[in-house]
């Protein structure tokens, strides 16, 4: 479900589940974990570029069909496992990861991009944390990383409305640092990666750790996991996911 090519110090990683808009199911998360662990260990990999297959989606979130019947405990495990194996792992990987957002980055998809060190987007990309429309909240660090990136007020509005923003607005807010046409997205990523490759890998590793320390609050991340799991198994959760699966609007 992922494609990898390593060339001249850059690992190009593409999430390849286009028919489901690259939604993150369990198998995909564990594959991502293996891929990133291998990149971390490989001295030939200096920079990683993460993108989605097709032009429609980067990642349209966690796979809703997979967690639709989860109870609180399963909800907590989903969040904890994903955070440990993928999201926090990427944030602390010690090598720059560039998220090249080639379309929808929603829910876990935006959280995945926010775990990366650098984010760039295609003009047509759309970003959002729509979890509340499903009766849950972001569970992969979204409530923590979004305010860090765009400020509490903007993050609160995005999380509480669940609305998507376009790439232009994401650039204004500082959620991404560059917006280019879809066809130029990977060459822009290559150009940023080229700049990074000129620098000391050891210094990049230490810089990432130091920048992360500026706003890391373990308590916030832990609380998010509790709040996330509290939503599972509730009537509103059941209505939210059922409505998605039945392709209708939820009635809370
Ligand atoms: N989990 C599981 N399947 C998903 C998915 C997700 N997060 N996002 C999209 N899909 C699936 C759809 O169910 C559909 O599958 P099908 O063809 O078997 O019916 C396929 O991907 C294509 O998506 P579809 O909804 O038909 O495309 P669209 O262009 O009408 O809408 C989106 C695109 C992104 C607006 C819509 O797919 C969506 O809202 N996805 C969920 C986003 C979300 O809530 N993410 C947070 C999850 S926590």
């Amino acid at each position: 479900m992922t494609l990898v090519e390593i060339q001249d110090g850059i690992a190009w990683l593409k999430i390849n589940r286009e028919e489901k808009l690259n939604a993150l199911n369990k198998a995909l998360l564990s594959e991502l974990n293996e891929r990133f662990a291998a990149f971390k260990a490989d001295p030939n990999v200096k920079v990683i570029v993460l993108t989605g297959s097709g032009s429609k989606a980067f990642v349209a979130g966690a796979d809703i069909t997979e967690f639709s019947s989860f109870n609180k405990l399963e909800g907590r495990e989903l969040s904890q496992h994903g955070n440990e194996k993928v999201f926090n792992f990427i944030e602390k990987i010690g090598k720059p990861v560039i998220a090249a957002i080639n379309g929808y980055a929603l829910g876990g998809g935006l959280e995945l991009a926010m775990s990366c060190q650098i984010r760039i987007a295609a003009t047509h990309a759309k970003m959002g944390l729509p979890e509340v429309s499903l009766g849950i909240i972001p569970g992969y660090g979204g409530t923590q990383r979004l305010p860090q990136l765009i400020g509490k007020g903007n993050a609160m509005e995005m999380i509480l409305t669940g609305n998507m923003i376009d790439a232009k607005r994401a650039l204004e807010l500082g959620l991404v640092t560059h917006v280019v046409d879809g066809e130029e997205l990977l060459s822009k990523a290559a150009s940023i990666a080229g700049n990074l490759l000129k620098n000391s890998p050891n210094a990049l590793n230490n810089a990432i750790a130091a920048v992360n320390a500026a706003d890391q609050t373990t308590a916030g991340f832990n609380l998010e996991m509790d709040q996330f799991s509290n939503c599972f198994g509730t009537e509103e959760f059941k209505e939210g996911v059922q409505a998605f699966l039945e392709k209708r609007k939820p009635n809370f």
Side-chain angles (χ1 to χ4, degrees):
M1 264 186 276
T2 56
L3 302 169
V4 177
E5 202 186 317
I6 299 174
Q7 210 174 20
D8 302 330
I10 307 174
W12 297 89
L13 174 59
K14 187 179 272 190
I15 297 176
N16 192 30
R17 200 184 173 217
E18 199 178 339
E19 70 289 355
K20 293 289 178 189
L21 305 188
N22 301 321
L24 300 171
N25 62 9
K26 208 172 162 197
L28 186 46
L29 283 170
S30 96
E31 207 176 307
L32 285 173
N33 169 253
E34 282 164 27
R35 295 291 198 195
F36 279 101
F39 296 154
K40 185 176 173 148
D42 185 347
N44 294 318
V45 173
K46 306 275 198 294
V47 179
I48 300 133
V49 178
L50 174 64
T51 195
S53 61
S55 58
K56 191 165 172 185
F58 173 72
V59 168
D63 191 313
I64 299 168
T65 49
E66 242 184 27
F67 67 64
S68 59
S69 60
F70 276 14
N71 60 28
K72 287 188 197 315
L73 186 62
E74 291 167 312
R76 193 167 213 293
E77 280 168 3
L78 178 76
S79 170
Q80 194 166 354
H81 186 262
N83 278 324
E84 278 169 19
K85 300 285 180 194
V86 178
F87 297 79
N88 295 345
F89 189 88
I90 293 174
E91 183 171 57
K92 300 188 176 114
I93 194 169
K95 300 179 182 188
V97 184
I98 303 170
I101 304 173
N102 57 306
Y104 288 114
L106 301 175
L110 182 56
E111 292 174 297
L112 184 63
M114 291 194 290
S115 301
C116 297
Q117 284 69 29
I118 295 175
R119 281 159 299 286
I120 62 173
T123 332
H124 68 276
K126 292 222 161 51
M127 287 154 251
L129 293 176
E131 283 87 348
V132 292
S133 70
L134 296 164
I136 54 172
I137 68 165
Y140 289 138
T143 65
Q144 306 302 297
R145 292 192 183 100
L146 191 61
Q148 290 162 6
L149 289 165
I150 66 172
K152 184 174 170 182
N154 289 314
M156 195 66 99
E157 182 176 326
M158 276 183 73
I159 292 167
L160 297 188
T161 62
N163 287 347
M164 293 182 211
I165 57 170
D166 62 17
K168 186 169 165 276
R169 181 70 180 142
L171 184 64
E172 282 166 8
L173 291 173
L175 185 51
V176 300
T177 49
H178 300 275
V179 173
V180 295
D181 279 346
E183 309 85 72
E184 290 165 27
L185 187 65
L186 295 186
S187 53
K188 182 69 189 174
S191 138
I192 297 171
N195 278 329
L196 296 166
L197 287 170
K198 292 179 199 154
N199 297 332
S200 148
N202 181 48
L204 294 179
N205 179 15
N206 283 288
I208 290 168
V211 174
N212 281 343
D215 48 22
Q216 206 73 45
T217 63
T218 314
F221 281 88
N222 287 339
L223 184 77
E224 182 193 83
M225 282 193 267
D226 291 341
Q227 302 303 121
F228 177 75
S229 66
N230 279 343
C231 297
F232 278 78
T234 63
E235 287 309 311
E236 290 182 12
F237 163 76
K238 287 177 196 159
E239 167 60 10
V241 293
Q242 205 52 42
F244 174 79
L245 298 175
E246 292 168 9
K247 297 187 186 288
R248 61 171 172 83
K249 292 211 181 304
N251 182 11
F252 292 122

